[in-house]
Amino acid sequence: MEFVQLLVSGTSLGCIYALIALGFVLIYKATETVNFAQGELMMLGAFGALVLIQWGGWSYWAAAPAAVAGMLALGIALERLVIRPILGQPQFTVVMLTIGVGYTARGLISMLPEIGTETSTIAVPYKGQVLTIAGAVISVEQVAVIGMTGLLCALLFLMFRYSKVGIAMQAASQNQLAAYYMGIPVRRLNGLVWGLSAAVAATAGLLLAPITFVHANMGFIGLKAFPAAVVGGFGSLPGAVVGGLVIGLVEAFAGFYLPEGFKDIAAYVVVLVMLVVKPNGLFGGAMRKKV
């Protein structure tokens, strides 16, 4: 019974890591840059829904898609106004810029009156409901995280597999110069990738909010999602999902069976082992790129 509960708990946590890691990978595949503000984009999405619900009086079912759509637009604007002007500069510049974007986002949220420095909660309609599976009591919040992650991954797969936009994104990620000469609007696609990444992060924030509340520092969970992307293989979308699940399950079982404190470092221990055994990650290719 404990095993089933730990399995579900670790899987739901791993799904959150997987969604944030998907954002890392999407941007890296498109622009070969790493967005260290991915966790803060997740936090902004959760706060967007919170503001609409508490201040705007919106229902959860209206506020959630509106927050995701808002983050899609914010991601596109972020790429156009902040990232695009410095493309071509050394990778270190982009890394520092995204870290600065993350700090700025946390600072701006902290300045919001009444809710900026408080720990808040989003009242989801299924709050407090539980299911009994194989004798284990599972919260509906965790089931919703797993189900929504599966649905989102399926939609992303269908988009990249069958839609013109998805196929064009794959072509641009393989060789941007060749894609440009073939008439693919690479710059526009890069903006769309940043928007898509921000929307996925916002979805992760909305799913995480009922479990861990909404606060300005919830974006630090991105530091756990980065190891998930490394374990799965940076640049692999399926790898991001598998890596997230691995990190989530290891963390859940380590927190229960191993001494106190090991849970916090379990993700990084897994990354160290992976880098020694398989440096390119579980699904990573042999090609080496700068991070």
Side-chain angles (χ1 to χ4, degrees):
M1 188 183 304
E2 290 174 350
F3 180 84
V4 175
Q5 287 188 306
L6 286 172
L7 186 65
V8 175
S9 176
T11 302
S12 65
L13 181 61
C15 287
I16 299 295
Y17 292 152
L19 290 178
I20 303 175
L22 275 174
F24 280 121
V25 173
L26 282 170
I27 291 176
Y28 182 72
K29 281 176 70 69
T31 62
E32 294 191 3
T33 58
V34 180
N35 176 24
F36 282 98
Q38 198 63 26
E40 280 69 29
L41 293 179
M42 180 201 72
M43 177 265 294
L44 289 176
F47 266 98
L50 179 68
V51 168
L52 290 175
I53 293 172
Q54 287 197 356
W55 290 1
W58 292 34
S59 68
Y60 174 78
W61 299 115
V68 173
M71 289 305 299
L72 175 69
L74 180 63
I76 294 174
L78 184 66
E79 189 278 337
R80 180 66 185 85
L81 301 176
V82 179
I83 302 299
R84 190 180 299 181
I86 66 164
L87 286 181
Q89 300 298 321
Q91 292 287 334
F92 179 74
T93 306
V94 181
V95 168
M96 293 306 298
L97 181 64
T98 58
I99 291 175
V101 168
Y103 273 96
T104 303
R106 283 201 301 276
L108 291 175
I109 287 296
S110 299
M111 287 189 288
L112 282 178
E114 298 184 14
I115 64 172
T117 57
E118 301 294 331
T119 298
S120 306
T121 181
I122 293 180
V124 294
Y126 46 84
K127 182 70 176 179
Q129 298 181 27
V130 296
L131 299 173
T132 302
I133 301 174
V137 178
I138 309 298
S139 70
V140 176
E141 287 99 326
Q142 292 175 325
V143 176
V145 170
I146 297 171
M148 190 63 197
T149 301
L151 176 63
L152 190 59
C153 290
L155 291 176
L156 286 173
F157 170 78
L158 293 174
M159 187 193 78
F160 284 110
R161 181 71 175 82
Y162 296 107
S163 73
K164 289 184 179 179
V165 173
I167 294 172
M169 283 181 177
Q170 290 192 65
S173 70
Q174 294 297 320
N175 191 320
Q176 290 202 357
L177 185 60
Y180 176 78
Y181 284 135
M182 293 298 292
I184 295 175
V186 175
R187 287 187 174 183
R188 196 183 308 166
L189 285 179
N190 286 346
L192 188 57
V193 167
W194 274 79
L196 187 62
S197 173
V200 172
T203 304
L206 290 169
L207 294 172
L208 182 65
I211 301 174
T212 64
F213 304 107
V214 180
H215 52 87
N217 292 327
M218 67 184 297
F220 284 125
I221 196 173
L223 297 177
K224 294 285 186 67
F226 189 78
V230 175
V231 169
F234 231 102
S236 169
L237 294 176
V241 177
V242 174
L245 293 176
V246 168
I247 295 296
L249 289 170
V250 167
E251 200 171 293
F253 282 94
F256 189 81
Y257 291 110
L258 297 180
E260 185 178 357
F262 194 83
K263 174 185 176 182
D264 296 328
I265 63 171
Y268 305 101
V269 172
V270 173
V271 169
L272 288 174
V273 172
M274 180 58 64
L275 290 176
V276 171
V277 176
K278 199 172 188 307
N280 292 319
L282 293 173
F283 293 81
M287 184 181 295
R288 295 183 179 181
K289 298 181 179 180
K290 294 181 180 179
V291 179

